[in-house]
Amino acid sequence: MENKQIIFKGYIDRAPQITDMELKITNISTSELVETMEDGAVMVKNLYLSCDPYMRGRMRDFHASYIPPFRPDSVMEGFGVSRVLHSKNEVFKCGDVVTGMTGWEEYSVIHNTAQLRKIEQDPDSGNDPIPLSYYVGLLGMPGFTAYAGFYEVCSPKTGDSVYVSAASGAVGQLVGQLAKLHGCYVVGSAGTSHKVDLLKNKLGYDDAFNYKTEPDLNAALRRYFPGGIDIYFENVGGPMLDAVLLNMAIHGRIAVCGMVSQHGMSSWQGIHNLQTLIAKRVRMQGFLQSDYLHLFPRFLEDVAAYYMQGKIVYIENMNEGLESAPAAFVALFSGGNVGKQIVCVATE
Amino acid sequence: MENKQIIFKGYIDRAPQITDMELKITNISTSELVETMEDGAVMVKNLYLSCDPYMRGRMRDFHASYIPPFRPDSVMEGFGVSRVLHSKNEVFKCGDVVTGMTGWEEYSVIHNTAQLRKIEQDPDSGNDPIPLSYYVGLLGMPGFTAYAGFYEVCSPKTGDSVYVSAASGAVGQLVGQLAKLHGCYVVGSAGTSHKVDLLKNKLGYDDAFNYKTEPDLNAALRRYFPGGIDIYFENVGGPMLDAVLLNMAIHGRIAVCGMVSQHGMSSWQGIHNLQTLIAKRVRMQGFLQSDYLHLFPRFLEDVAAYYMQGKIVYIENMNEGLESAPAAFVALFSGGNVGKQIVCVATE
């Protein structure tokens, strides 16, 4: 049986390019694979793979981070939704749909099953089921990043003025909608007029702007936030962060989630306006969703309910076929995708 | 009667120089002054004046800060210790010693007496009295900045590794001593070998180094904090902050108090390593002591007790005579003083 795989070619110190990965076709024998599987392992067919910015950090030869780098000449890995084909694990049965870390390939053997989660769908609920791909987006790591970052790091209050950069992205689109549900005034920015339109007309933002066509980010933020920004959900870094620092309200909070504009830089751009942290008494806090996993069950319940009640929506950018994964991943860093980037490897 | 005054000449956009201020001698008539004093005002003789870095912000033509700028061609003002000569206020009697905002001159009329505080000294306590100048240092705004910043912003825990820059300064010297009393490991940096010696041998720091003779601040911090920095009390900004960001421990806290190295810059230096906030989940928080004034009485009680019990010491740099005030103030920005900078105008 053929197994298509996406291989990571080697460490880089710049923005990822398609040629940093390559497609490889291996022949595998299912029976041999299953024989050599350790107790506790499962063999899966991958259905949906998630492209996330943090993965770029795994392409550097840097071993002191919170997650180890990819191994050169090995299969890429990331969050995925998969169907169990063979199981040597009591928790997962053949036919189960699971989500967790898997390989960028058609078939994977997953040994670290402690991080796998079974997706339970209730066919008798009378509702349309939640799309399986949402379990690596709205109901997966990006959604949980938005949830933990907004509720646990931003200390939101009703009436707060909230600014979200990369606002239509996998994380940003949920942050904005949670903030609206919390009674905040919410403005987002993105890099195309199409995304700005989505923010205003589909994702419920009070207002939105295209940062690429604003000649002066400081002036733009002053226009949208004449009373200052209470909460900034920081996804991009660079000149946008500097402009935000000039526009924070007293006792404002900045949740530092990502600085995606800096991913391509071998040396990071300087931030010049940190002194405003003092006069405005601003709290700026970096966070990782993994510190809040005790809240994951509540998150799943809350956000799935919001979705089923039609209170939130989620926009995906779905690429078809494993072959499209390198291009889909690279597009994260140029803003080429709209919404959460997913690769569909197979539908069942 | 003569009244010597230090006049602020006009707004600047660089590090302060002695020539930005000038000495002026005015003739005043006490009886006329007292006659024109509004109800509630007091006339004082100034004893000690405090030189503080925040005053540099009042020399800019910038009106949106938490404190208004000085007025050109008017008397400089700042925290001081003064003796009441005439009072039209029920709270303050002739002869009382008070502390609060006063003028950089020999005699001042203070109208805003709400911000004045009477210094109570108990001659019957059997202890040596606390030096009056300490009421604008150890027991004044700088001491309270250290107290509120350390306890309320840094979230200290016993055993934490604490790093203090400008560690022998008005604020830093108390931060280090409070951290030691809290059971922390404390390292400070300063800009001369004499200050480093004071940190180690008088102020009780576990270790200290001269940042000016370190070729690589990142390497120096790695040496002193092999397990990372839990708490950084940020007094200087610039390249030091960038080096600290590379050495923070997971869940570390940075209290942003001042960025004195940036005071002379018309454009601030860029900080390049903020991305480490994410992987290390660091909280960086700007603060002003004025947000914590509800804690001031407890601070006075705690720190005065520590001092009387010999648990903490305080180093002052005392200049004699109002004439010396401009030079004393300017020295704050070049590191020319050792400890809290005071100008003694008169002793009684």
Side-chain angles (χ1 to χ4, degrees), chain A residues 234-254:
Chain A
E234 157 58 43
N235 284 314
V236 300
M240 180 61 87
L241 175 55
D242 248 343
V244 167
L245 285 167
L246 297 177
N247 285 280
M248 290 301 291
I250 285 173
H251 294 136
R253 288 84 67 198
I254 301 177

Side-chain angles (χ1 to χ4, degrees), chain A residues 48-64:
Chain A
Y48 299 97
L49 298 176
S50 177
C51 298
D52 295 296
Y54 82 89
M55 296 167 70
R56 188 260 174 271
R58 304 191 69 183
M59 297 176 120
R60 292 185 305 152
D61 189 12
F62 177 67
H63 296 256

Side-chain angles (χ1 to χ4, degrees), chain B residues 48-63:
Chain B
Y48 299 98
L49 298 175
S50 177
C51 297
D52 296 297
Y54 82 89
M55 297 168 70
R56 188 261 174 272
R58 303 191 68 184
M59 298 177 119
R60 291 185 304 152
D61 190 12
F62 177 68
H63 296 257

Side-chain angles (χ1 to χ4, degrees), chain B residues 104-293:
Chain B
W104 276 27
E105 57 194 342
E106 291 177 286
Y107 301 96
S108 299
V109 173
I110 300 176
H111 290 100
N112 177 13
T113 47
Q115 50 89 30
L116 274 191
R117 199 161 47 80
K118 194 167 152 183
I119 297 174
E120 312 274 6
Q121 291 197 308
D122 179 4
D124 304 326
S125 72
N127 295 313
D128 284 341
I130 294 176
L132 285 179
S133 57
Y134 278 26
Y135 287 89
V136 288
L138 179 67
L139 299 173
M141 184 274 289
F144 186 55
T145 300
Y147 183 91
F150 182 67
Y151 292 118
E152 301 300 311
V153 181
C154 293
S155 308
K157 294 192 301 292
T158 301
D160 275 349
S161 290
V162 176
Y163 174 55
V164 185
S165 53
S168 66
V171 177
Q173 57 177 307
L174 184 56
V175 172
Q177 294 180 89
L178 294 177
K180 280 305 297 173
L181 288 170
H182 204 76
C184 300
Y185 170 76
V186 189
V187 177
S189 62
T192 68
S193 58
H194 173 54
K195 292 178 183 177
V196 168
D197 183 63
L198 287 173
L199 289 171
K200 291 202 268 195
N201 298 316
K202 184 152 183 198
L203 294 167
Y205 278 69
D206 291 296
D207 219 329
F209 65 94
N210 181 347
Y211 73 91
K212 287 186 179 165
T213 59
E214 286 291 344
D216 180 343
L217 291 174
N218 178 18
L221 291 170
R222 216 163 41 226
R223 206 164 62 234
Y224 288 103
F225 296 98
I229 299 168
D230 296 304
I231 292 174
Y232 173 45
F233 201 97
E234 156 59 41
N235 284 313
V236 300
M240 179 62 87
L241 174 55
D242 249 343
V244 167
L245 285 166
L246 297 177
N247 286 279
M248 290 302 290
I250 286 173
H251 295 135
R253 288 83 69 198
I254 300 177
V256 186
C257 180
M259 294 193 173
V260 77
S261 77
Q262 304 299 298
H263 274 286
M265 310 271 176
S266 58
S267 122
W268 299 332
Q269 284 177 286
I271 299 296
H272 293 81
N273 298 331
L274 284 172
Q275 269 136 317
T276 59
L277 295 182
I278 304 173
K280 298 291 181 62
R281 296 89 105 185
V282 170
R283 188 180 78 209
M284 188 167 172
Q285 182 159 0
F287 75 101
L288 293 176
Q289 50 85 29
S290 49
D291 281 343
Y292 301 91
L293 290 176

Side-chain angles (χ1 to χ4, degrees), chain A residues 17-323:
Chain A
Q17 297 171 358
I18 293 177
T19 50
D20 297 324
M21 295 155 273
E22 68 185 352
L23 183 74
K24 183 178 158 188
I25 299 177
T26 327
N27 281 300
I28 54 170
S29 150
T30 308
S31 57
E32 273 177 35
L33 261 183
V34 171
E35 233 168 77
T36 58
M37 267 165 56
E38 288 169 25
D39 267 3
V42 294
M43 181 185 166
V44 299
K45 180 182 185 186
N46 293 311
L47 305 179
Y48 299 97
L49 298 176
S50 177
C51 298
D52 295 296
Y54 82 89
M55 296 167 70
R56 188 260 174 271
R58 304 191 69 183
M59 297 176 120
R60 292 185 305 152
D61 189 12
F62 177 67
H63 296 256
S65 185
Y66 58 95
I67 187 166
F70 293 133
R71 279 173 303 128
D73 301 317
S74 298
V75 178
M76 299 267 294
E77 56 176 47
F79 290 105
V81 174
S82 316
R83 185 175 299 279
V84 176
L85 298 186
H86 299 278
S87 176
K88 293 191 178 177
N89 187 301
E90 287 186 356
V91 178
F92 304 104
K93 294 191 312 288
C94 179
D96 281 353
V97 179
V98 296
T99 180
M101 277 282 167
T102 189
W104 276 27
E105 56 194 342
E106 291 177 284
Y107 302 96
S108 299
V109 173
I110 301 177
H111 289 100
N112 177 13
T113 46
Q115 51 87 33
L116 275 190
R117 198 162 47 82
K118 193 167 152 181
I119 297 175
E120 313 272 5
Q121 292 198 309
D122 178 4
D124 304 326
S125 72
N127 294 312
D128 283 340
I130 294 176
L132 285 180
S133 58
Y134 279 25
Y135 287 89
V136 289
L138 178 66
L139 298 173
M141 184 276 288
F144 186 55
T145 300
Y147 184 91
F150 182 67
Y151 292 118
E152 301 300 310
V153 181
C154 293
S155 308
K157 294 192 302 292
T158 300
D160 275 347
S161 290
V162 176
Y163 174 54
V164 185
S165 53
S168 66
V171 176
Q173 57 177 307
L174 184 57
V175 173
Q177 293 181 87
L178 294 177
K180 280 306 297 172
L181 288 170
H182 204 77
C184 300
Y185 171 77
V186 189
V187 177
S189 62
T192 68
S193 59
H194 173 52
K195 291 178 184 177
V196 168
D197 182 63
L198 287 174
L199 289 171
K200 291 201 268 196
N201 299 316
K202 183 152 184 198
L203 294 167
Y205 278 69
D206 291 297
D207 218 330
F209 64 94
N210 181 345
Y211 73 92
K212 287 187 178 164
T213 59
E214 286 291 343
D216 180 343
L217 292 174
N218 178 19
L221 290 170
R222 216 163 42 228
R223 205 163 64 234
Y224 288 103
F225 296 98
I229 299 168
D230 296 304
I231 291 174
Y232 173 45
F233 202 96
E234 157 58 43
N235 284 314
V236 300
M240 180 61 87
L241 175 55
D242 248 343
V244 167
L245 285 167
L246 297 177
N247 285 280
M248 290 301 291
I250 285 173
H251 294 136
R253 288 84 67 198
I254 301 177
V256 187
C257 180
M259 293 194 173
V260 77
S261 77
Q262 304 298 300
H263 274 287
M265 310 273 175
S266 57
S267 122
W268 300 333
Q269 283 177 287
I271 299 297
H272 293 81
N273 298 332
L274 284 173
Q275 269 137 316
T276 60
L277 295 181
I278 303 173
K280 298 290 181 60
R281 295 89 104 185
V282 170
R283 187 182 77 210
M284 187 167 174
Q285 182 158 359
F287 76 100
L288 293 176
Q289 51 85 28
S290 50
D291 281 343
Y292 301 91
L293 290 177
H294 57 287
L295 302 175
F296 199 89
R298 203 179 76 191
F299 150 73
L300 265 188
E301 197 173 313
D302 287 356
V303 175
Y306 285 147
Y307 175 76
M308 298 305 275
Q309 295 158 12
K311 288 183 179 167
I312 54 174
V313 296
Y314 200 64
I315 299 172
E316 289 183 331
N317 197 117
M318 182 74 75
N319 282 37
E320 297 294 332
L322 185 68
E323 299 83 349

